[in-house]
Amino acid sequence: MPEDRESDPLPPGQTRGPHRDELIAALARDQHGVVTRRQLLDAGIPSTTIEDRVSRGQLIPLHRGVYAVGHAHLRPNGYRRALDACDVTTVEGIPVTTVSRTLLDLAEVLAHQALTKVCSEAERQRTVDVKRIEEAIGRVRGRRGPATAKLRAALEELGLHGTTLTRSPLEDQFLSLLDAYDLPRPATNAYVVGYEFDAVWRLHHVAVELDG
């Protein structure tokens, strides 16, 4: 008999009939059109229903145990990768990727300057751990090329110049200009006698305001 008929006996905790598709759609709606097999099982949807929806094309496999619901034309946030347990932590009860894994993922999509700024902020918050970053790189197969090189270059720049707090693209460009001419970096957005300046060289008694 068809599995969705109301007369079918159901194990405790499982849903029935059309409610299953509604539940799948609700899960996907909150997750950029993607659900995992574990989420479906935990929601009371039996494995036979999952396989049935896969065969019908309602669940489209993206990765092992990860499905697009309805179609595979996802927004960028919908594409997931399998995460090693070491790359996941919990913040206020919410599962998130670790700082090391997040920096590695950002290295794939950010330009060098933006990535360096993110690394600088992470260092300012004392959350950069080079050893753990290298371990995260080692756990990710097939991503040892440009992203890895870009992240290592950003960390090297951080080691050379230390943390830098900037608040605008103009300030970022100004620092790049200084680097290009091998000039010392200033303190940025720093206070002198009660006034805040965009750039301050305290040893040289020089302050600069940038006007966009």
Side-chain angles (χ1 to χ4, degrees):
M1 300 177 71
E3 61 166 326
D4 286 343
R5 289 190 55 179
E6 292 297 324
S7 59
D8 290 347
L10 289 175
Q14 290 191 358
T15 59
R16 185 187 294 278
H19 299 295
R20 295 172 179 171
D21 292 317
E22 294 172 4
L23 183 54
I24 292 172
L27 287 171
R29 186 167 54 248
D30 295 334
Q31 300 180 154
H32 309 288
V34 175
V35 294
T36 68
R37 184 180 185 86
R38 173 48 53 191
Q39 288 176 321
L40 296 175
L41 294 173
D42 289 346
I45 298 173
S47 59
T48 52
T49 298
I50 296 174
E51 298 308 322
D52 175 70
R53 299 311 187 260
V54 170
S55 67
R56 295 184 191 180
Q58 292 174 254
L59 290 176
I60 301 169
L62 296 177
H63 310 287
R64 183 176 181 180
V66 180
Y67 308 99
V69 178
H71 60 83
H73 300 291
L74 303 176
R75 295 179 180 178
N77 287 337
Y79 290 97
R80 295 181 176 190
R81 289 189 176 91
L83 291 173
D84 189 284
C86 295
D87 293 325
V88 179
T89 187
T90 302
V91 177
E92 297 182 357
I94 301 174
V96 296
T97 53
T98 62
V99 171
S100 299
R101 176 58 189 252
T102 300
L103 292 176
L104 180 57
D105 290 340
L106 288 175
E108 293 189 333
V109 296
L110 294 182
H112 171 76
Q113 192 174 68
L115 181 61
T116 302
K117 189 171 183 177
V118 171
C119 289
S120 181
E121 177 61 23
E123 174 65 14
R124 188 182 68 81
Q125 297 183 24
R126 300 181 183 276
T127 57
V128 170
D129 187 321
V130 175
K131 180 181 177 181
R132 291 187 178 181
I133 290 174
E134 289 295 338
E135 291 172 349
I137 290 173
R139 286 191 293 270
V140 180
R141 297 181 178 87
R143 203 189 307 183
R144 302 176 184 272
T148 297
K150 193 191 303 181
L151 179 56
R152 286 178 172 146
L155 293 173
E156 181 179 358
E157 184 169 323
L158 179 62
L160 289 173
H161 302 296
T163 58
T164 303
L165 175 63
T166 57
R167 295 175 179 166
S168 70
L170 179 59
E171 292 178 5
D172 294 331
Q173 293 169 16
F174 180 63
L175 294 180
S176 296
L177 178 65
L178 296 175
D179 293 342
Y181 286 92
D182 200 26
L183 295 173
R185 281 200 175 196
T188 53
N189 298 295
Y191 282 87
V192 178
V193 294
Y195 294 92
E196 185 180 27
F197 293 91
D198 293 331
V200 175
W201 289 264
R202 297 185 189 278
L203 292 177
H204 298 86
H205 304 286
V206 173
V208 168
E209 277 291 289
L210 303 174
D211 186 354

